Amino acid sequence: NIYSSGGRRKTHMLRHIWTVFKKEVRDLSRDKRTLLISIVVPMVIIPLINILVGGGMEKLQKDISENVSIALSDESRTDDIVDLVKNKLFKDNKNITLLDTDNAIEALKQDKVRLVLGIDKDYKSKIAEGKPFKIDISYDKSKTKSEGSIWIIRQEIEKFNRSIMNDRIVALGKSPEFLEPVKIEEKNVADEAKTSTSMLAMMLPIIIVILMTVGGVPAATDLVAGEKERNTLEPLLTTKPKRISILLGKYFTVTLFSFVTVIASIFGLIVGYILNPSSLNLGTSQNISGFFVPIPALILAILLAMALGMTFAGIQVALSTYAKSFKEAQVYLSFLMIAAMIPAYANFFTQPGDIPFYYYFIPVINTVSAFKVVLGGTINYLHLFVAFISSAVHVIIALGIAVSMFNKEKVLFRS
């Protein structure tokens, strides 16, 4: 009888949780604002931002490399120097254009040219004597295209230097290799899949953390603080379901909307990648090619993402319970997003193989680190299991805080 009554209580509790869960999901599904923030916005905005940023960076880099306009300083506008620039220094680079301007520095400030070169007038005699001559490069650091054009000019000048040096070595009866006793060859031993997904390994974990903190905010704000304002929370607490059942129903609703936001965002990223592959590499030369993630590692990564969402759901419900009003809950939950982003960016530039072991115990950082090693191809299942166990502990702690808040009358109904 004891076991049967205990079983009935558990059955009733699960039925009550399911009833509250269905009711909350149905109510939130009717709220256009919640659906807009949780599904439509991440599905559209995130890929749109990536496409705009990636396309913008790609266009900027192309413009910098293909349209390098230069001018000579007033002191350097001689026929010899013009001939040097056009027919020797930059003759092999058709993207570098020499423009004739009366006031070169003013033209630089007005963005009519990218760079201004000042070249010694006696460069011919210095070359003949084996002495170096000077080239001053003036640029505008406040303009990206001006500053980005410097390396192109420097490359061409280095080519000119090497050609003069080779001529001098040959004149001495030596081979140009005489001045190059050591040749360096770089070999990358990392798999192609590891290097091709490094940008994805940097971006995706941060996106997941941000979405997990944002996705459940509308639901969490409305389900407790919103009910306080509408004066519907007290009648709900007088119904047959126990307080823990009501809380868990709300908690799982917040968790569900967090997952929906992440799924919608990942779907949007995939669509954005199909429309423009450079949207995931932010315009860099690194392309994200096909890669394979082992099924066990993929399952652990998904479970870690779910655990992160459940952790944030517990904290969001706790903050919404503590808040006196809807607006106060919004303030608390906005600070939660900022607080979550700080540890998320802690190992943003850390390579998957360099992540310290203790990172897998720290909330948020453990999930980011786990996704990095999975996407980076340096999978260590011990680290993934440690991250999963620690995440499970974080879920229990967050849910325990929410239960504690929900059971305290002075917190739940504070004014």
Side-chain angles (χ1 to χ4, degrees):
N1 291 333
I2 294 175
Y3 287 127
S4 61
S5 62
R8 283 197 298 270
R9 283 198 297 269
K10 290 181 180 178
T11 302
H12 290 156
M13 182 178 179
L14 291 175
R15 187 183 301 120
H16 292 158
I17 293 172
W18 177 246
T19 301
V20 174
F21 174 76
K22 286 195 300 181
K23 176 257 183 190
E24 301 296 4
V25 171
R26 185 169 56 249
D27 289 345
L28 288 174
S29 299
R30 293 169 182 166
D31 186 356
K32 294 181 180 179
R33 180 185 59 184
T34 301
L35 293 179
L36 181 68
I37 296 175
S38 300
I39 301 176
V40 179
V41 170
M43 191 180 292
V44 175
I45 294 298
I46 289 181
L48 182 61
I49 290 174
N50 285 342
I51 289 174
L52 290 176
V53 172
M57 289 291 293
E58 191 174 24
K59 184 178 179 181
L60 177 62
Q61 291 174 355
K62 184 177 180 180
D63 187 32
I64 289 175
S65 61
E66 295 183 358
N67 301 286
V68 183
S69 56
I70 63 174
L72 293 173
S73 63
D74 296 341
E75 298 79 12
S76 303
R77 292 172 64 193
T78 65
D79 293 339
D80 284 344
I81 292 178
V82 170
D83 178 69
L84 171 69
V85 171
K86 287 185 175 181
N87 302 320
K88 294 179 181 178
L89 282 175
F90 310 125
K91 66 176 182 178
D92 296 328
N93 194 326
K94 304 302 181 184
N95 296 322
I96 300 176
T97 306
L98 177 63
L99 300 181
D100 187 19
T101 58
D102 294 331
N103 190 331
I105 297 299
E106 189 62 29
L108 175 62
K109 292 179 179 179
Q110 294 178 4
D111 206 20
K112 293 180 180 179
V113 296
R114 301 275 179 83
L115 302 170
V116 175
L117 305 185
I119 302 175
D120 289 345
K121 290 182 179 181
D122 57 346
Y123 78 91
K124 277 188 175 180
S125 61
K126 288 184 176 179
I127 290 178
E129 296 171 7
K131 296 179 180 179
F133 67 92
K134 187 174 64 173
I135 299 179
D136 292 325
I137 303 176
S138 300
Y139 69 99
D140 189 341
K141 195 170 184 178
S142 65
K143 297 181 175 65
T144 303
K145 295 178 182 179
S146 177
E147 187 175 15
S149 299
I150 293 178
W151 72 272
I152 299 174
I153 297 298
R154 292 179 68 93
Q155 278 186 325
E156 297 302 320
I157 294 175
E158 286 300 322
K159 290 180 184 178
F160 177 77
N161 278 338
R162 285 194 297 270
S163 68
I164 296 294
M165 182 179 64
N166 290 341
D167 292 341
R168 291 174 179 175
I169 292 297
V170 171
L172 294 174
K174 299 288 186 179
S175 169
E177 294 180 353
F178 176 75
L179 292 181
E180 193 177 8
V182 178
K183 287 187 176 180
I184 299 174
E185 291 185 3
E186 297 181 1
K187 293 182 179 180
N188 180 18
V189 298
D191 296 335
E192 180 66 24
K194 292 182 180 180
T195 56
S196 66
T197 58
S198 59
M199 184 63 70
L200 187 64
M202 289 175 65
M203 289 177 53
L204 189 58
I206 302 298
I207 291 174
I208 288 175
V209 169
I210 293 173
L211 293 176
M212 283 299 184
T213 58
V214 174
V217 167
T221 308
D222 184 74
L223 292 185
V224 186
E227 291 221 43
K228 287 183 182 181
E229 280 198 357
R230 294 191 297 270
N231 295 320
T232 57
L233 184 60
E234 289 187 25
L236 180 62
L237 295 176
T238 60
T239 57
K240 191 173 183 180
K242 292 184 178 180
R243 188 170 293 192
I244 184 65
S245 300
I246 296 173
L247 171 67
L248 290 177
K250 293 178 180 293
Y251 167 75
F252 288 125
T253 303
V254 175
T255 304
L256 174 65
F257 273 84
S258 298
F259 294 163
V260 167
T261 302
V262 173
I263 293 170
S265 302
I266 293 176
F267 177 78
L269 286 174
I270 294 172
V271 172
Y273 179 74
I274 294 173
L275 295 176
N276 182 10
S278 65
S279 64
L280 287 183
N281 58 31
L282 299 181
T284 63
S285 58
Q286 186 181 62
N287 292 319
I288 298 175
S289 56
F291 62 97
F292 173 75
V293 176
I295 298 300
L298 180 62
I299 292 173
L300 281 171
I302 294 172
L303 290 175
L304 281 165
M306 294 175 64
L308 183 66
M310 295 173 73
T311 300
F312 280 126
I315 298 173
Q316 289 164 354
V317 171
L319 291 174
S320 183
T321 302
Y322 181 78
K324 298 177 185 178
S325 63
F326 189 91
K327 287 185 177 180
E328 186 177 336
Q330 286 181 321
V331 172
Y332 292 154
L333 293 173
S334 64
F335 280 118
L336 174 64
M337 184 180 70
I338 297 172
M341 289 175 64
I342 294 173
Y345 279 100
N347 62 345
F348 183 75
F349 293 106
T350 306
Q351 293 298 324
D354 298 329
I355 297 175
F357 180 64
Y358 68 88
Y359 271 24
Y360 295 95
F361 293 91
I362 305 173
V364 180
I365 295 180
N366 62 349
T367 303
V368 173
S369 301
F371 268 91
K372 271 182 171 285
V373 297
V374 169
L375 295 174
T378 56
I379 298 172
N380 185 319
Y381 284 101
L382 173 62
H383 293 174
L384 292 181
F385 277 116
V386 169
F388 175 71
I389 293 171
S390 63
S391 294
V393 173
H394 303 152
V395 172
I396 294 171
I397 293 173
L399 186 56
I401 294 172
V403 171
S404 176
M405 290 283 190
F406 209 76
N407 282 330
K408 292 180 181 179
E409 301 286 340
K410 63 179 181 179
V411 174
L412 191 61
F413 299 110
R414 74 189 189 94
S415 60

